[in-house]
Amino acid sequence: MSRLFSAYVIVDWSAAAKPTTGADSIWIGVLKRDVRFRLTFESYNPATRGEAETRLAAILDDLKKRNERALVGFDFPLGFPRGLSQALSLPGEVRWRAVWDQIAKMVKDKADNTNNRFGVGSEINRRLTGGPFPFWGCPPKDALTTLQPKRPREHGPDDLPEFRYADEAAKGAHSIWKLYYNGSVGGQAIVGIPAVRRLKDARGETVRVWPFETGFKTLTEADLEGVATVVAEVYPSLIKAVPGAGEVKDLAQVRGLAEHFAKLDEAGKLGAIFAAPKELSEDAVEAAAAEEGWILGA
């Protein structure tokens, strides 16, 4: 069985409000073949999301020119818990895309990393509940009537779910509603989804987002005919990465995850992990494929 991909790009994103490098910043790991067809790794640590987006665009365009298909993994959710699109009365039948379009309209992310992620969470809270729920978490100076530093209450049966089905499967994943503090992914998703949307829209149908556009199924070469890039959500903590001397954990994780997927691909086993886990209910499979997304390998 031939490999599905020639390159594996893993992105450790950041919602930082100022330019930053080193630990807890953006890391891009690229595992691709050199002129002798040997897998080689290179990494980038851009100081801002704008620089990262420019770098990613260059990486994807270079691989496409070389006719090398890439798997690109982002370490933040590409979808929100089921029901958000309906609760916000967003237009369009494609629920995940309706949320992407809405987030992109709301986000202001400047060249110096200044961004309004807390304002976006606050405004969505206002539209959903009129209070500081379900999004929560911010520095005290950024607190608003509809966004508070601490979570105001637990999720009830009539609320949108706290976790996606994928978060429950990953065990230990944080809720997207958490915008701040250690382990939070909500802020990263808010500023990250518009960047992925721009990268995808600039390249049309050659970029497919899993599982929304590929199907929640085992992928084969035939499924990827004409596809240059498959975008997926990844969870670096799914594998144990050991940093080398002087290496930050983030770098070790993007390299380790890229190598993990490359090994599965070489063994002809990567396509299978794009399929829905057998134990998932029909409702969970439908929700993941239509609006929540899934974590590759969870």
Side-chain angles (χ1 to χ4, degrees), residues 277-290:
K278 292 179 181 179
E279 65 273 14
L280 271 193
S281 68
E282 287 186 16
D283 287 346
V285 171
E286 194 278 333

Side-chain angles (χ1 to χ4, degrees), residues 54 66 114 186 295:
T54 298
R66 293 159 53 174
T114 303
I295 299 167

Side-chain angles (χ1 to χ4, degrees), residues 2-81:
S2 61
R3 295 185 304 270
L4 293 178
F5 301 96
S6 300
Y8 313 85
V9 182
I10 306 298
V11 185
D12 186 333
W13 202 243
S14 169
K18 61 182 181 181
T20 182
T21 57
D24 300 320
S25 65
I26 296 176
W27 285 89
I28 301 171
V30 183
L31 191 64
K32 62 181 182 180
R33 298 187 183 278
D34 61 16
V35 292
R36 297 182 181 178
F37 299 100
R38 297 174 303 189
L39 279 174
T40 58
F41 179 78
E42 57 190 31
S43 64
Y44 305 92
N45 184 209
T48 67
R49 284 178 293 279
E51 291 173 22
E53 191 173 332
T54 298
R55 173 64 67 179
L56 281 167
I59 291 168
L60 297 185
D61 291 344
D62 177 62
L63 290 169
K64 185 180 178 184
K65 283 180 185 176
R66 293 159 53 174
N67 292 315
E68 296 184 7
R69 186 185 298 131
L71 170 63
V72 182
F74 290 90
D75 74 332
F76 55 81
L78 297 174
F80 283 75

Side-chain angles (χ1 to χ4, degrees), residues 188-204:
Q188 290 171 267
I190 285 175
V191 294
I193 284 174
V196 177
R197 178 179 176 273
R198 286 188 292 270
L199 288 167
K200 171 183 164 46
D201 287 358
R203 289 157 187 80

